[in-house]
């Protein structure tokens, strides 16, 4: 009887864990849609504002105003969906917060006091103070908003990077994980490479948004001057960002994963068994029951080379880890291949657009404009897929190697409560999403002020 | 240093109550204050550039609690799971209403967000008040510091009276803010509203103070009378003040003194248990290096934010 009771308790905890994970994954993935755009658009808004004010360039000012409005919509949605994120660590992950809060609380608190204040104060001036403050102060606001949004990204990525690769901590006698060296946490090279990759993903998204909206106006034969300007800016930044996503940042992230989280690498690559001279799977579907890839397309020895710089190096497969330490394979594998596949396509598209731009034929190439316009949603998919790799591949750890996700939940919160609130969030976010899309499309429909 | 951490946290929450207090208050009186489109639009215009910056104090206070006293953050947020999530939803609805109202000139659209704004603001203030009341009173906790009571336990007379005080005091604060910020022709209405709320605030204030002192006798500690006395003086000054700016300053001082009274009552506990004990600034704190780091970061960050926030607000209001 006793063991049956125990069994029920375990099942109860399991379902609470699953509910917590679903709610967290859903709310963070929804939240992240907006910071991508704000971090990606902020430098463009700042650039056009400063350029417009310095040169008294009306087109640049109109561009800044137009993207300022799109930025503001994303910012508002980011704030509304960000607040639940901040507090969910306490509500749903109390075990994690109580044990690791001494470290993760630091970076989250830095984000609030260094970044959120900066962004919200100066965005208020930027949006409502156009005629109330001097032009110089107005331009400074645009730059400060940019700094704020990138700082915010840094502190949140530093938080996540610590969960991926903990440094600068001590484990106390009572088992809590406490801060020992804040410098080590903030200057961790894992965090900085992850940050540059994340920022670049956002910048790439911003560039595709500019190019895509511009392409739409050109195809529609409206606002031609304005549209040519933003397509040019989008493609110029887009080609650089597409390259940086792959090299050096994506490459460096992979090698960090290889060194610090080898089980994640095996899941990303669908590498079930250890082997020397491991091939790189370009395509193929993992069959987790039999531990093989179905219909694979392999490049021989390449994985060994990419991971260790040596074509004959040994790559550990999933079978070399105890099953309790393996991350889920399917999701990690597909998410990784989607990100890398899309990254290659972005590079191809931006390369073609750059060549056409250089030859002065981009604005007449309707096929290329169609591609740029339709490409707009895909950077979002690549970003979300990348986070899925990072977070699902981190399982079963909530703090890699130190604390398991199953130990992180709240002891007092049961599955039913989280299911209820997750449904509530879903409803609220659906409403928010519809309103957000409607207003954004409406702004795009209006176009810039004359 | 743990005492300093307590003071900084209390100061951040007080800043939140003083600053977001005026836009929450504007929300709580929104439907009563003005029946005309112009009046309602003016209320929104008065708070739109500032509300988000004010709300960051709440986020920052939550994050500072996380960094300074992780155990309290974990126990309080998960222990009161549903009320907390409802607060999050109300914050979301409120944020949407402020950002979205006025996007179209449509009575249906604006009417919808008017009601959403009023309801979410009023409920938030009520929730915050009831929560504060329960914290001052103490709640049943298990050995880890997690809430071990029932939902109905939280709906006691004392907590509800603090909730009512919070609602009326912030409503009065919001009306005072409108009196200061709106166009001259709309001001008399705001002033009348403020004066109508005043006697209710006074009664509730006296009732809550008597109840609190009965439960937590101040006795010989003369210094502890300061905060309630300042609160009373400030409240009288609100009514006596001829100018809106003076009344708003007095009203803010009143709110700050209330927060100070609450803080001194629970000190050194952050989450007191109902019959003694609970999570305090020593048993809930990590090592000294961790507390020191979080404290330094908070003081520098908030200090800087107050400086540039004031500069920005000054430049905006000057026009
Ligand atoms: C437009 C966005 C985008 C594009 C084109 C790419 N990535 Fe990426 N990637 C991200 C956006 C992103 C991200 C969303 O920003 C992630 C999620 C977590 C993170 O650190 O960055 C990420 C994570 C991420 C990780 C996991 C890091 C971890 O687990 O900590 C690896 C190994 C790579 N990326 C590697 C690549 C490679 C080799 C790419 C080559 C094409 C690539 N990424 C393109
Ligand atoms: C940078 C700050 C972030 C932090 C601190 C963070 C933290 C967490 C935490 C605490 C969990 C729950 C425990 C777990 O399942 O491991 C989690 C899970 C998850 N997060 Fe993140 N996260 C961050 C960013 C993101 C972003 C931006 C995304 C996606 C857009 C994301 C996607 C996910 C997903 C999909 C899960 C569920 C994993 C699973 O259940 O297998 N995370 N993350
Ligand atoms: C679990 C992780 C996360 C938490 C707790 C969190 C928390 C928050 C909060 C509370 C806000 C509102 C701030 C305000 O009122 O101004 C916000 C907005 C923001 N967040 Fe997140 N966030 C998370 C994940 C992320 C990630 C992964 C990124 C980017 C890498 C990010 C970037 C931003 C940015 C740039 C903003 C400013 C508003 C905006 O630009 O949309 N956040 N976040």
């Amino acid at each position: 009887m006793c063991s049956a009771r125990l069994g029920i308790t375990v099942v109860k905890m399991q379902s609470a864990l699953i509910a917590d994970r679903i709610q967290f994954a859903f709310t963070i993935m929804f939240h992240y849609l907006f910071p991508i755009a704000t971090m990606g658009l902020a430098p463009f808004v700042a650039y056009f504002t400063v350029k417009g004010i310095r040169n008294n360039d009306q087109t640049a000012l109109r561009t800044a105003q137009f993207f300022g409005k799109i930025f503001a919509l994303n910012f508002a949605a980011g704030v509304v969906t960000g607040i639940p994120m901040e507090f969910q660590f306490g509500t749903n992950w109390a075990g994690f917060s109580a044990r690791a809060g001494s470290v993760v609380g630091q970076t989250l608190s830095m984000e609030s006091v260094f970044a959120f204040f900066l962004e919200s104060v100066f965005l208020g001036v930027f949006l409502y103070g156009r005629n109330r403050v001097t032009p110089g102060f107005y331009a400074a606001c645009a730059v400060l908003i940019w700094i704020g949004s990138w700082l915010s990204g840094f502190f949140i990525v530093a938080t996540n990077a610590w969960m991926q690769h903990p440094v600068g901590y001590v484990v106390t006698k009572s088992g809590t994980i406490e801060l020992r060296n804040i410098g080590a946490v903030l200057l961790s090279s894992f965090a900085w490479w992850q940050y540059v990759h994340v920022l670049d993903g956002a910048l790439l998204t911003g560039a595709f948004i500019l190019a895509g909206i511009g392409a739409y106006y050109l195809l529609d034969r409206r606002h031609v001057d304005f549209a040519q300007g933003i397509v040019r800016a989008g493609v110029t930044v887009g080609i650089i960002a597409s390259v940086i996503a792959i090299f050096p940042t994506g490459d460096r992230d992979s090698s960090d994963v290889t060194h610090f989280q080898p089980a994640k690498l095996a899941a990303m690559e669908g590498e079930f068994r250890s082997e020397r001279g491991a091939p790189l799977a370009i395509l193929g579907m993992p069959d987790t029951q039999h531990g093989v890839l179905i219909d694979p397309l392999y490049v021989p020895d390449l994985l060994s080379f990419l991971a260790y710089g040596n074509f004959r190096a040994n790559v550990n497969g999933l079978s070399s880890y105890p099953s309790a330490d393996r991350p889920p394979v399917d999701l990690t594998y597909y998410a990784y291949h989607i990100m890398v596949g899309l990254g290659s396509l972005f590079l191809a598209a931006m390369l073609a657009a750059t060549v056409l731009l250089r030859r002065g034929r981009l604005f007449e190439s309707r096929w290329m404009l169609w591609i740029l316009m339709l490409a707009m949603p895909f950077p979002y998919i690549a970003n979300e897929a990348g986070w899925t790799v990072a977070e699902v591949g981190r399982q079963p750890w909530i703090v890699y190697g130190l604390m398991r996700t199953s130990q992180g939940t709240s002891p007092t919160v049961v599955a039913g409560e989280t299911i209820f609130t997750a449904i509530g969030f879903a409803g609220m976010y659906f409403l928010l999403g519809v309103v957000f899309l409607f207003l954004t499309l409406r702004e795009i429909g209006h176009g810039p002020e004359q | 240093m743990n005492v300093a951490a307590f003071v900084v946290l209390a100061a951040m929450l007080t800043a939140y109550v003083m600053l977001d207090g005026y836009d929450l208050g504007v929300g709580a009186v929104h439907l009563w204050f003005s029946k005309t489109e112009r009046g309602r639009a003016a209320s929104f215009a008065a708070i739109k550039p500032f509300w988000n910056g004010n709300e960051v104090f709440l986020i920052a206070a939550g994050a500072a609690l996380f960094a300074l006293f992780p155990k309290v953050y974990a126990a309080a947020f998960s222990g009161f799971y549903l009320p907390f999530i409802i607060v999050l939803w109300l914050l979301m609805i409120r944020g949407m209403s402020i950002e979205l109202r006025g996007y179209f000139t449509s009575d249906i659209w604006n009417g919808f967000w008017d009601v959403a704004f009023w309801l979410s603001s009023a409920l938030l203030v009520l929730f915050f008040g009831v929560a504060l009341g329960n914290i001052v009173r103490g709640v049943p906790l298990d050995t880890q510091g997690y809430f071990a009571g029932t939902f109905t336990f939280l709906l006691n007379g004392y907590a509800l009276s603090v909730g009512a005080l919070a609602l009326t005091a912030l409503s009065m604060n919001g009306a005072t803010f409108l009196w200061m910020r709106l166009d001259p022709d709309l001001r008399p209405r705001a002033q009348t509203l403020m004066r109508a709320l005043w006697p209710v605030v006074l009664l509730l204030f006296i009732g809550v103070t008597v109840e609190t002192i009965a439960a937590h006798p101040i006795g010989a500690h003369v210094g502890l009378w300061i905060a309630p006395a300042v609160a009373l003086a400030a409240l009288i000054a609100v009514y006596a003040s001829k100018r809106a700016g003076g009344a708003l300053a007095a009203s803010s001082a009143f709110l700050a003194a209330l927060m100070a009274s609450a803080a001194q009552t629970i000190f050194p506990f952050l989450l007191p248990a109902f019959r003694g004990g609970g999570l305090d600034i020593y048993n809930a704190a990590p090592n000294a290096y961790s507390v020191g780091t979080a404290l330094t970061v908070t003081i520098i960050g908030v200090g800087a934010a107050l400086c540039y926030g004031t500069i920005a607000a000054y430049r905006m209001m000057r026009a």
Side-chain angles (χ1 to χ4, degrees):
Chain A
M1 196 211 103
C2 190
S3 72
R5 285 264 294 277
L6 210 69
I8 292 174
T9 321
V10 170
V11 171
K12 253 161 93 183
M13 283 168 58
Q14 275 291 342
S15 53
L17 173 66
I18 291 169
D20 289 328
R21 285 167 74 174
I22 290 176
Q23 174 166 296
F24 197 92
F26 169 65
T27 49
I28 183 75
M29 292 184 83
F30 195 81
H31 171 61
Y32 193 56
L33 293 172
F34 306 108
I36 314 179
T38 52
M39 288 188 299
L41 291 177
F44 290 105
V45 173
Y47 169 76
F48 284 114
T49 306
V50 171
K51 185 176 169 202
I53 284 177
R54 178 173 296 164
N55 307 346
N56 201 10
D57 172 345
Q58 289 308 314
T59 311
L61 276 178
R62 273 166 60 213
T63 312
Q65 290 292 303
F66 176 76
F67 285 103
K69 275 191 210 146
I70 308 248
F71 178 96
L73 283 170
N74 279 286
F75 181 85
V79 169
V80 168
T81 55
I83 295 169
M85 293 321 308
E86 194 84 35
F87 294 121
Q88 254 185 83
F89 291 109
T91 54
N92 294 74
W93 301 97
F96 166 67
S97 302
R99 210 166 137 194
S102 164
V103 185
V104 289
Q106 304 287 348
T107 37
L108 284 175
S109 147
M110 290 180 187
E111 184 187 20
S112 306
V113 298
F114 293 138
F116 290 158
F117 277 121
L118 198 67
E119 266 186 294
S120 53
V121 166
F122 291 106
L123 190 65
V125 182
F126 187 80
L127 291 178
Y128 305 104
R130 181 88 203 281
N131 304 316
R132 300 196 211 173
V133 299
T134 59
F137 189 70
Y138 188 72
C141 285
V143 175
L144 287 167
I145 294 166
W146 171 21
I147 295 175
S149 77
W150 281 27
L151 268 181
S152 165
F154 173 72
F155 289 117
I156 204 78
V157 169
T159 314
N160 186 268
W162 184 84
M163 296 165 61
Q164 305 280 357
H165 175 53
V167 290
Y169 64 89
V170 301
V171 179
T172 62
K173 275 198 226 81
S174 62
T176 54
I177 305 167
E178 298 190 357
L179 184 71
R180 195 177 61 190
N181 183 349
I182 187 69
V185 175
L186 294 178
L187 300 176
S188 140
S189 91
F190 192 100
W192 278 91
W193 281 107
Q194 192 183 351
Y195 175 55
V196 182
H197 191 65
V198 167
L199 261 192
D200 186 72
L203 197 58
L204 180 84
T205 312
F208 269 90
I209 293 175
L210 260 78
I213 294 179
Y216 161 68
Y217 290 138
L218 289 177
L219 288 171
D220 215 24
R221 304 201 164 81
R222 292 158 56 196
H223 314 298
V224 173
D225 281 353
F226 165 80
Q228 292 190 348
I230 62 177
V231 170
R232 188 175 296 114
V235 171
T236 312
V237 175
I239 179 73
I240 301 171
S242 308
V243 172
I244 295 178
I246 300 173
F247 189 88
T249 65
D251 177 57
R252 181 59 202 234
D253 273 5
S254 314
S255 78
D256 278 352
V257 169
T258 311
H259 288 110
F260 299 119
Q261 305 178 323
K264 183 195 267 183
L265 180 84
M268 277 156 51
E269 303 288 1
E271 181 74 1
F272 288 97
R273 263 171 286 280
S274 309
E275 55 191 323
R276 294 191 170 282
L280 184 76
I282 307 283
L283 293 175
M285 290 159 286
D287 172 352
T288 41
Q289 257 177 18
H290 301 100
V292 290
L293 278 186
I294 300 174
D295 296 338
L297 174 63
Y298 279 128
V299 182
D301 297 348
L302 190 58
L303 180 57
S304 287
F305 177 73
L306 287 178
Y308 295 103
N310 173 351
F311 288 104
R312 300 305 310 158
N314 177 56
V315 175
N316 279 340
L318 284 163
S319 58
S320 55
Y321 303 97
S323 59
D325 290 352
R326 290 180 209 160
V329 178
D330 307 69
L331 210 48
T332 315
Y333 173 90
Y334 282 121
Y336 185 64
H337 282 75
I338 288 171
M339 169 178 64
V340 174
L342 284 175
S344 316
L345 293 176
F346 297 153
L347 181 62
M350 280 297 171
L351 214 57
T354 307
V355 170
L356 289 169
L357 184 68
R358 278 290 156 86
R359 302 221 174 123
R361 296 216 312 265
L362 178 58
F363 304 132
E364 285 75 50
S365 310
R366 293 184 69 81
W367 62 273
M368 190 70 230
L369 296 175
W370 269 101
I371 291 179
L372 287 178
M373 182 177 84
L374 295 178
M376 260 194 286
F378 291 95
Y380 284 92
I381 297 174
N383 276 300
E384 298 280 352
W387 277 107
T388 308
V389 178
E391 300 292 273
V392 176
R394 186 188 69 222
Q395 304 304 318
W397 304 101
I398 193 163
V399 181
Y400 203 80
L402 286 179
M403 181 176 185
R404 286 178 189 269
T405 308
S406 55
Q407 304 168 314
T409 53
S410 301
T412 53
V413 178
V414 298
E417 288 178 287
T418 308
I419 292 172
F420 170 69
T421 56
I423 293 172
F425 276 114
M428 191 97 69
Y429 284 6
F430 179 75
L431 180 72
L432 177 68
V434 169
V435 173
F436 172 82
L437 266 185
F438 173 64
L439 295 178
T440 306
L441 293 177
R442 188 166 154 273
E443 289 298 345
I444 296 176
H446 276 316
E449 297 156 21
Q450 288 313 311
Chain B
M1 189 168 62
N2 297 39
V3 177
F6 182 93
V7 173
V8 165
L9 269 180
M12 283 170 80
L13 278 176
T14 306
Y16 171 68
V17 171
M18 288 165 70
L19 291 170
D20 221 29
Y22 67 74
D23 59 65
L24 280 166
V26 168
V29 299
H30 187 61
L31 290 191
W32 320 136
F33 169 62
S34 173
K35 312 274 178 208
T36 63
E37 168 60 25
R38 185 169 158 263
R40 290 188 174 175
S43 298
F44 274 96
I47 62 169
K48 234 180 165 177
F50 309 111
W51 77 276
N52 183 234
N54 297 341
E55 200 171 278
V56 173
F57 273 100
L58 180 66
I59 301 171
L65 178 67
F66 193 1
L68 290 164
F69 303 108
K71 285 190 185 123
V72 178
Y73 172 85
F77 286 34
S78 66
F80 307 103
Y81 184 73
L82 281 184
F84 240 105
I85 299 278
I86 292 172
V87 163
L88 294 179
W89 289 345
L90 290 171
L91 285 171
M92 291 174 62
I93 294 175
R94 184 164 179 275
M96 283 168 74
S97 68
I98 300 176
E99 292 299 326
L100 294 174
R101 191 200 192 274
Y103 235 96
F104 305 99
T105 43
S106 145
D107 284 349
I108 298 179
W109 177 265
N110 291 336
F112 177 82
W113 293 117
D114 279 334
V115 174
F117 177 53
W118 163 71
L119 201 62
S120 56
S121 304
L123 284 176
L124 273 172
V125 175
L126 198 62
F127 263 80
F128 288 149
V130 173
L132 187 67
N134 275 306
I135 290 175
V136 171
R137 181 166 179 257
V139 289
L141 298 179
D142 68 13
T143 49
Q144 293 288 305
Y146 289 95
F147 180 58
T150 57
F151 191 62
T152 41
F153 180 89
L154 302 175
L155 298 176
N156 53 71
Y158 177 73
L160 290 177
S161 60
V162 178
L165 174 61
L167 185 57
T168 47
L170 286 193
S171 298
M172 181 184 80
N173 193 49
T176 316
F177 176 78
L178 289 173
W179 175 23
M180 181 174 98
R181 292 296 299 165
L182 293 189
D183 290 341
D185 62 317
L186 292 168
R187 284 181 198 166
R189 250 192 101 81
Q191 194 184 3
T192 315
L193 184 61
M194 185 275 272
R195 291 184 165 244
L197 284 162
W198 190 83
V200 190
V201 178
L202 181 68
L203 277 179
L204 284 166
F205 167 67
I206 294 172
V208 167
T209 309
V210 170
E211 268 185 282
T212 311
I213 293 177
H216 303 263
I218 290 183
H221 303 286
V222 182
L224 297 185
W225 285 101
I226 296 177
V230 170
L232 186 63
L235 189 54
I236 293 170
V238 173
Y239 198 84
S241 184
K242 296 266 177 314
R243 300 200 23 217
L248 187 63
S251 174
S252 303
F254 172 62
L255 296 175
L258 284 186
M259 293 299 287
S261 312
Q264 74 184 25
T265 309
I266 62 170
F267 183 84
F269 289 96
L270 293 149
L271 193 59
F274 185 46
R275 302 225 182 275
L279 290 174
D280 65 29
I281 57 174
Y282 303 105
N283 68 17
N287 66 52
Y289 174 73
S290 175
V291 176
T293 309
L295 197 58
T296 315
V297 163
T298 310
I299 292 174
I300 296 177
V302 175
L306 283 175
C307 292
Y308 59 66
T310 313
I311 295 175
Y314 173 74
R315 289 202 175 213
M316 290 286 283
M317 298 216 184
R318 198 177 42 180

